């Protein structure tokens, strides 16, 4: 954990390029960005049913997400994610635009997109 004037941040459990799965809903995705704490609208947060609404003081992940029917972008709290160990190929079209395969079953930021 890192203490700052704004609060305490935990080290993110998942890295950019890692394939993860939602613990409660049937979708998986590839991490493409991480917020150290919640950084979305209050309206978005309040739309989550109170009994499953996550704490704001944890990492939140931007995912190139996919389910059986579609591909989309998701914003998910760390407490609701786990590593995806299925070895199933990722089909989200944005993954290959932003990331390249790392040779170990995951992804990394494409070197031509780095500053």
């Amino acid at each position: 954990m890192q203490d700052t004037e704004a609060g305490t941040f935990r080290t993110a459990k998942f890295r950019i390029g890692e394939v993860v799965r939602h613990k409660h809903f049937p979708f998986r995705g590839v991490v493409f960005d991480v917020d150290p704490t919640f950084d979305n609208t209050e309206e978005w947060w309040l739309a989550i049913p109170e009994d499953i609404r996550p704490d704001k003081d944890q990492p939140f992940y931007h995912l190139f997400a996919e389910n059986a029917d579609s591909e989309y972008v998701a914003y998910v709290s760390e407490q609701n994610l786990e590593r995806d160990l299925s070895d199933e190929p990722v089909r989200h079209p944005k993954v290959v635009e932003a990331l390249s395969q790392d040779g170990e079953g995951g992804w990394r930021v494409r070197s031509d997109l780095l500053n």
Side-chain angles (χ1 to χ4, degrees), residues 2 20-21 27 37-38 48 68 74 77 84 97 103 115:
Q2 175 184 359
V20 294
R21 178 175 300 279
F27 73 87
T37 60
F38 179 79
I48 300 168
S77 65
D84 178 59
E97 291 177 23
N115 291 336

Side-chain angles (χ1 to χ4, degrees), residues 80-93:
N80 287 322
L81 292 175
E82 60 191 4
R83 284 182 178 77
D84 178 59
L85 303 175
S86 70
D87 288 331
E88 295 173 30
V90 175
R91 69 173 196 276
H92 196 296

Side-chain angles (χ1 to χ4, degrees), residues 3 11 13-14 22-23 26 49 57 67 72 74 92 101 113:
D3 288 324
T11 300
K13 182 177 181 179
F14 306 108
H22 198 284
K23 289 180 178 179
D57 64 343
N67 61 27
Y72 51 97
H92 196 296
Q101 290 185 309
L113 298 177

Side-chain angles (χ1 to χ4, degrees), residues 53-108:
R53 191 176 298 150
D55 293 331
K56 291 181 177 181
D57 64 343
Q58 62 180 307
F60 276 73
Y61 298 83
H62 300 262
L63 306 177
F64 292 127
E66 58 190 44
N67 61 27
D69 301 317
S70 64
E71 296 83 32
Y72 51 97
V73 172
Y75 190 64
V76 185
S77 65
E78 186 170 273
Q79 75 185 54
N80 287 322
L81 292 175
E82 60 191 4
R83 284 182 178 77
D84 178 59
L85 303 175
S86 70
D87 288 331
E88 295 173 30
V90 175
R91 69 173 196 276
H92 196 296
K94 293 286 186 185
V95 172
V96 295
E97 291 177 23
L99 305 168
S100 61
Q101 290 185 309
D102 67 6
E104 298 176 13
W107 300 84
R108 65 175 173 259

